[in-house]
Structure formats: C-alpha cells, structure tokens
Amino acid sequence: MPITINADLGEQGIHHATDLTLMQYIDVANIACGGHAGDTETVAHFETLANARGVQISAHISYPDKENFGRTSLKNTIAISDLLKSLDLQRTLLPTVERLKFHGALYNDCWHDTSLVEHLTPWIKSAGFTEVLAPPNSEIAKALSKEGITVINEGFIERRYLLADGRPVLMPRQYDLACIKSLEEAITQAKSIIAEQKLPVHTDQDHPKVQKIDFICDTICIHSDSSIAEQLAKHTRALLNQTQPTLT
C-alpha cells in the first residue's frame, strides 16, 4: 500500500489558512472532536471539506483538556470512567467514521502504558472503530492487532525522535530539539522514512547525535500548527508522487 499523508485539522477554527491549504495535499484529515480543540461547527466544516475533496477522515480524540491543548498527560489524574465518558462524547461528533487517531498526550501514553491500553482497547472496539493510526510497535498497536483492528503505522517528519528502551518515541515537546523547524531538515527526514525506510533517532534529548534505525510506516503526519506545515506538505506530496506514481 502507498504511504499517505495525514494532518490534524480543525484545531484552530474554521478559518485557519494552513488547514485549508493542507487539504490540497493530504489523504487523511484527523478532525479534532472537542477534547483538546474543535467543536460541532469545526467538525462539520472540515468533514464537509474533506468529503468534497475526497480526503478520508479520522476522528481525532484526546484527553479532555482544552486548556493544555491535550498535550499534558492526565493518566494519573483522571478516572478511567471519566476518560471513557469524554471519549464517548467526542465520538458523537463523528459517529460513523471508522478511523481513529488519538491526540497529544493520550497518543503518547498509549505508546508504552499497558494499563491504559487495556482500558482503551475495548472502548475502541465498542465505539466501532476498525482502523487506528498509531506508532509502530507501540503497546496500543500490538493490542489492537490482536483484536483484529487494522493499525496504520504512523511516522512524523517535523518532530524528532528519541531512542528510549531500544525503541523510538517522540521527543517530548519541552526539549528544544523536539520540533523540526527547518524545512530542509524535515524534507530530509521524510526522504529517509519514505525512500530508505530508516528513521533518524537521537540518543540524547539535548544533543543532535543521530543514528538511523529500521522504520516502516503507512502514513506520515504533518501538524497544522507547524510553521513549515504548508511547504512541507507540498514537498512531501511531490516526493510521494515521484516514488509512488500511482498515489493521487
């Protein structure tokens, strides 16, 4: 299957220019469902745009934490019952979409936290999701695969990775190196993932010492709040069209 481009949309209102531009280049729109951002109006707006352009949709669901944009872990402060109630409420904004992507801290917590994954896996099934965007070889990916849910392995090209316990994780945003702000560097990372199936990872969060590890992904994410998002999407689309001529 060809590699696709996905982007997290609807997080900054219906008039966010970058979101509208990204729609020209992406294959999948992850539409914020109100947990970290978004509301009924933004969901309806971007769902209509996606359908008009033939862009697939994922429900972008998170911890209920608009104050921190869903980027602060609540796994030790929110009761599981309250979390699941929030996820149910977010689900109602895109009730028929069968693809899911968790956002921010919830996405990251599912990478390693087996206890959290044990609670979320049955919820994902009961909510009717059949496909989930997730980090390759993460705990959530392994659990969902056992349940027969399709895992769409995801890579990021404007975020740096850190090697932790022998496997890559996204470098936490509090570190200076976490986000790639150079278009040239992000394109280089995209080429490494797409053409070489290799992921550059840092062995230390404070120093740019990098090694490459094997990495196979099905989809590449571009964050709409990245300063290089529009140009990066354009270049990545061109790169994929060059390496995967059948991808439209």
Side-chain angles (χ1 to χ4, degrees), residues 175-243:
Y175 294 112
D176 292 339
L177 291 175
C179 296
I180 297 175
K181 300 176 183 178
S182 161
L183 177 61
E184 181 179 358
E185 183 181 350
I187 293 172
T188 298
Q189 181 152 307
K191 290 179 178 178
S192 179
I193 292 173
I194 293 167
E196 304 173 24
Q197 296 184 335
K198 296 286 186 179
L199 177 70
V201 293
H202 292 248
T203 55
D204 188 291
Q205 63 265 25
D206 297 316
H207 303 287
K209 183 178 180 181
V210 177
Q211 66 184 69
K212 288 188 176 184
I213 63 172
D214 292 338
F215 188 80
I216 298 177
C217 74
D218 307 306
T219 189
I220 289 171
C221 178
I222 297 175
H223 289 97
S224 63
D225 60 352
S226 167
S227 61
I228 61 173
E230 295 181 26
Q231 287 299 310
L232 183 57
K234 179 179 179 180
H235 283 278
T236 304
R237 176 84 283 150
L239 177 62
L240 287 173
N241 286 346
Q242 180 182 0
T243 58

Side-chain angles (χ1 to χ4, degrees), residues 160-185:
R160 293 187 178 91
Y161 284 79
L162 185 66
L163 199 61
D165 297 325
R167 56 182 174 177
V169 297
L170 286 174
M171 188 178 291
R173 285 180 177 268
Q174 64 262 34
Y175 294 112
D176 292 339
L177 291 175
C179 296
I180 297 175
K181 300 176 183 178
S182 161
L183 177 61
E184 181 179 358
E185 183 181 350

Side-chain angles (χ1 to χ4, degrees), residues 109-119 139 142 167:
D109 285 346
C110 288
W111 214 312
H112 299 293
D113 193 318
T114 55
S115 177
L116 180 62
V117 167
E118 287 175 1
H119 291 290
E139 294 302 322
K142 290 186 286 187
R167 56 182 174 177

Side-chain angles (χ1 to χ4, degrees), residues 68-87:
N68 298 299
F69 198 64
R71 287 176 173 165
T72 297
S73 176
L74 302 182
K75 67 178 183 178
N76 295 322
T77 58
I78 188 171
I80 288 295
S81 59
D82 291 335
L83 174 59
L84 297 183
K85 287 178 183 177
S86 174
L87 301 187

